[in-house]
Amino acid sequence: MSAVQLWDQPHHDGSAMYVSNPNPELGETVTVFLRVPRASGVTKALLRVCIDGEQALLETSIDRQDEHEFWLKAALSMENPVVNYRWLLDGSPGGYQWFNGTGLHTRDVTDACDFRLTAYSPPPDWASGAVLYQIFPDRFAKSIDRPAPDWAIAEAWGNKVIGRGPETPYQYFGGDLDGITARLEHIASLGADTVYLTPIFPARSNHRYDASSFDQVDPLLGGDSALHRLSEALHSRGMRLMGDLTTNHCGDAHEWFKTAIADPDSVEAGFFLFTRHPDEYVCWFGHKSLPKFNHANPELRRRLYEGKDSVVARWLGPDGFDGWRIDVANMTGRHGTTDLNHMVSTTLRETMAETDPEALLLAEHSHDASQDLQVDGWHGVMNYAGFTRPVWQWLKPAAPVPFEAGPFVSIPRLSGTDIVGSMRDFAAAVPWRATKHALNLVGSHDTFRISTMLGDPRLVTVAFGLLATMPGVPMLWAGDEIGQEGANGEDGRRPFPWDNPGEWDHDRLATTRSLFQTRNRSEALREGGLRWLAIEEDAFTFLRESTNETVLVHAARAGHTSINIPTTVIGNRLHGLAGTPDLHANAGEVITLPNEGPAVAIWRCDPPAASVGGLTAGSVK
């Protein structure tokens, strides 16, 4: 199957190459640029904007040009906190086509996939280049042996994890925070600079999403002092620490809920959604052990996340967390006819900004989060919909697709055209800033291990390559870097085999280090835009572009037809990164990309395709 070639199409994205200020303030005038290859046939464009709910078409002018392309520019005013825009182009068979976040269309389109600029305060600068390392504290590393609590099933470190069944939440292996502190050199060697911990508050399970208090760190993890030691050790290395908070619910052993059960007239009784006191109440997915919070209650908001005395504020700071990941954020504040989710997210953001302006706010979300990313709330969400599922769908082995009722959609095997279409759809529905700060992942404590799902180590390398090169904040799930296995989320929470290096996949470890250290050294991979070049069933190619660097990425799940890209697009020579061999142009003034697979290849373009050298200002010639 021949590839769909996109390099001759106009291009725009929300990065600094195409937007004069990606983080404008309200009232500011911003210049946006459209890159137009002459081969596209486009000669004119108008910028369609929507201000105060009404559309307008704005004139564009030539910014610069050469024999191969020209750049158009237009100015728009940030009169609203979020301004959406798209381009109206000539050059189609009918002389009428729209260009938006999903590409070219020869028909009218909705505003849903417009490009968007937001005047809300931006995420902290450090987040753009961050690489997160997710740790499930009970299973990562242990500093000392502690007696198991009364709810637990005590296990030796090397024992088998129960992957399914009622005992899974109660296996206790005894990992703790000082154990993590002792392993920071390993984490840093991966190119990760931010540790993300699943919950650390006391609970009656190993996952701790059923908190019994938010006032202390679980003594089983070493208590408050161990958190301080971990935070200080990370900060001394220039690294950061993210916490995990359940704003949707707590555990039925939580002190607030016990007071609410005991006294229907207590303040705390208003924190929950009782339908008949004391034994009928709303809970997460019907689990009575996880009572849902009532965010209409002002005292709950004050204690949990509103203001300097809240739980959210208390645990931020130099001896605590640098940000929060909010568990089941998509459900928080939502029940029946009540939807307070935006209020929760914006209040959380305000409290964090007042407490620590450099704090990062990420949200768990498993599907379309576009409506939740249009306000001054989450900086980004876990990108299961726009990254994880497409990667799984493209790389997974062919198998029958089950159609089963339940909370999760099945994972079919799809073509490169389909999964790139999904990626473009989900990215187009949110501001570029949200795409840039989406938490990308190929696995987590809630999923199967990527090594188990894909089987073929070459396919796993492709998944890791995309994780290291796509826009967003990549997250490594502890153990994936050594090829740990797991058929589901519980099975994947196996203790890290520190004392058994023979169980490690050392090739996977070396590849992981190479990929993410390459990302850290590349301005384009950390900060650049995304320009799709070629897409076919078994392979696709894209550019990451910044002002000073352009990186070409080619991913393949199988052998495929060769892709030949003109040197006018990517230059005459490609410098291999992360172990990729260099490539040179042939006599036909094209560069032929490798056609074997599964494989991922990464090159720095020379000269940079993003270079404006030789471009001149003036009218279209």
Side-chain angles (χ1 to χ4, degrees):
M1 179 180 177
S2 61
V4 176
Q5 299 177 1
L6 301 178
W7 56 76
D8 285 341
Q9 292 188 4
H11 179 70
H12 173 85
D13 58 48
S15 68
M17 274 192 65
Y18 295 91
V19 178
S20 63
N21 182 5
N23 298 310
E25 296 183 356
L26 198 63
E28 183 176 338
T29 297
V30 180
T31 303
V32 292
F33 300 89
L34 181 70
R35 185 181 201 153
V36 185
R38 295 191 184 277
S40 69
V42 171
T43 62
K44 292 181 293 185
L46 296 171
L47 183 70
R48 187 265 194 190
V49 299
C50 190
I51 303 290
D52 295 337
E54 186 56 77
Q55 69 172 349
L57 292 170
L58 307 181
E59 292 282 353
T60 65
S61 60
I62 293 291
D63 182 69
R64 54 197 187 270
Q65 62 180 318
D66 65 14
E67 62 181 313
H68 304 296
E69 65 183 20
F70 59 94
W71 291 61
L72 295 171
K73 65 180 180 180
L76 61 84
S77 176
M78 294 298 299
E79 297 180 38
N80 304 132
V82 179
V83 174
N84 60 290
Y85 61 96
R86 61 180 181 264
W87 306 84
L88 179 62
L89 314 175
D90 71 350
S92 69
Y96 180 93
Q97 54 186 340
W98 289 105
F99 179 69
N100 64 9
T102 59
L104 283 171
H105 305 274
T106 55
R107 52 175 171 78
D108 285 342
V109 293
T110 71
D111 293 0
C113 292
D114 279 3
F115 301 104
R116 287 176 179 81
L117 272 175
T118 173
Y120 295 125
S121 58
D125 289 342
W126 64 265
S128 295
V131 175
L132 268 62
Y133 188 79
Q134 186 196 28
I135 292 175
F136 191 85
D138 184 59
R139 309 292 165 82
F140 184 67
K142 178 164 59 174
S143 65
I144 61 172
D145 289 321
R146 294 184 175 88
D150 59 3
W151 53 261
I153 302 169
E155 301 281 6
W157 194 254
N159 284 5
K160 183 178 176 61
V161 166
I162 301 172
R164 293 187 189 276
E167 294 180 328
T168 56
Y170 306 117
Q171 282 190 292
Y172 171 73
F173 287 84
D176 56 27
L177 300 186
D178 285 324
I180 299 170
T181 302
R183 301 294 181 175
L184 296 186
E185 185 63 35
H186 170 82
I187 297 169
S189 76
L190 301 171
D193 63 358
T194 303
V195 170
Y196 154 44
L197 303 176
T198 57
I200 47 83
F201 298 118
R204 295 185 63 80
S205 70
N206 53 42
H207 56 70
R208 296 185 173 87
Y209 285 101
D210 58 331
S212 59
S213 173
F214 296 126
D215 290 339
Q216 63 173 319
V217 174
D218 194 334
L220 295 174
L221 296 176
D224 294 8
S225 60
L227 178 67
H228 299 332
R229 287 191 290 273
L230 174 58
S231 178
E232 290 169 359
L234 284 163
H235 291 151
S236 71
R237 289 173 168 265
M239 300 170 73
R240 290 179 169 82
L241 182 64
M242 292 282 293
D244 197 336
L245 183 65
T246 57
T247 57
N248 179 71
H249 58 264
C250 63
D252 60 357
H254 197 286
E255 53 207 13
W256 298 346
F257 188 69
K258 290 196 292 185
T259 300
I261 289 289
D263 182 2
D265 297 320
S266 65
V267 171
E268 287 81 1
F271 292 6
F272 303 93
L273 297 164
F274 287 98
T275 54
R276 188 179 69 185
H277 191 277
D279 53 359
E280 293 185 8
Y281 48 88
V282 180
C283 45
W284 181 75
F285 276 114
H287 294 286
K288 299 288 283 185
S289 62
L290 301 173
K292 186 177 175 74
F293 286 131
N294 172 23
H295 288 271
N297 186 284
E299 179 60 15
L300 170 74
R301 300 197 300 267
R302 188 191 69 77
R303 290 196 199 177
L304 191 56
Y305 56 86
E306 186 174 328
K308 61 183 178 61
D309 296 322
S310 65
V311 171
V312 163
R314 172 186 170 179
W315 295 100
L316 294 174
D319 60 353
F321 294 122
D322 298 285
W324 288 105
R325 177 265 197 187
I326 303 300
D327 179 60
V328 291
N330 55 300
M331 299 177 71
T332 296
R334 289 179 167 138
H335 179 64
T337 59
T338 299
D339 190 343
L340 301 176
N341 188 269
H342 288 176
M343 181 272 290
V344 174
S345 69
T346 55
T347 306
L348 265 162
R349 175 86 166 266
E350 182 179 0
T351 294
M352 291 173 65
E354 291 174 351
T355 306
D356 178 3
E358 292 297 298
L360 179 64
L361 177 59
L362 300 175
E364 182 182 25
H365 211 299
S366 63
H367 47 279
D368 181 5
S370 57
Q371 294 304 304
D372 294 343
L373 290 167
Q374 303 296 329
V375 295
D376 193 20
W378 322 121
H379 287 130
V381 302
M382 297 184 79
N383 202 12
Y384 282 108
F387 178 83
T388 311
R389 280 181 57 84
V391 170
W392 289 346
Q393 290 167 341
W394 189 51
L395 296 177
K396 70 164 291 189
V401 180
F403 280 76
E404 300 172 346
F408 303 111
V409 180
S410 59
I411 306 167
R413 178 177 167 91
L414 300 178
S415 71
T417 302
D418 287 334
I419 71 105
V420 171
S422 289
M423 288 180 171
R424 296 184 79 175
D425 282 347
F426 283 104
V430 300
W432 172 259
R433 182 188 293 176
T435 297
K436 185 179 177 182
H437 295 91
L439 189 61
N440 290 342
L441 59 154
V442 297
S444 75
H445 72 292
D446 284 329
T447 75
F448 40 69
R449 288 284 185 174
I450 191 68
S451 294
T452 302
M453 180 199 190
L454 299 183
D456 187 337
R458 297 173 300 169
L459 290 171
V460 178
T461 297
V462 176
F464 271 62
L466 293 172
L467 184 63
T469 59
M470 291 287 288
V473 179
M475 186 190 85
L476 293 166
W477 164 216
D480 275 352
E481 76 274 20
I482 59 168
Q484 278 194 284
E485 299 283 338
N488 58 40
E490 293 286 355
D491 188 32
R493 301 174 189 178
R494 303 178 188 183
F496 200 109
W498 293 107
D499 295 331
N500 294 294
E503 296 182 13
W504 297 25
D505 182 338
H506 292 277
D507 288 339
R508 171 69 49 230
L509 179 59
T511 299
T512 303
R513 286 171 169 160
S514 177
L515 285 169
F516 289 93
Q517 289 170 2
T518 294
R519 180 186 177 91
N520 290 345
R521 291 191 293 266
S522 170
E523 176 188 271
L525 294 180
R526 296 192 316 272
E527 302 283 349
L530 174 64
R531 183 183 177 193
W532 295 100
L533 295 185
I535 308 165
E536 65 162 65
E537 181 173 344
D538 292 321
F540 53 81
T541 308
F542 58 89
L543 289 176
R544 298 294 311 281
E545 303 173 299
S546 69
T547 303
N548 299 307
E549 182 187 39
T550 296
V551 171
L552 177 69
V553 181
H554 179 64
R557 69 179 181 184
H560 56 89
T561 304
S562 295
I563 296 173
N564 300 298
I565 304 181
T567 57
T568 55
V569 178
I570 58 174
N572 295 292
R573 181 175 178 179
L574 301 178
H575 298 270
L577 303 174
T580 303
D582 292 356
L583 280 182
H584 301 266
N586 58 32
E589 296 186 342
V590 299
I591 291 184
T592 301
L593 303 185
N595 63 357
E596 63 270 8
V600 63
I602 310 169
W603 299 274
R604 180 177 291 113
C605 298
D606 181 25
S611 172
V612 298
L615 293 175
T616 59
S619 60
V620 179
K621 296 179 181 178

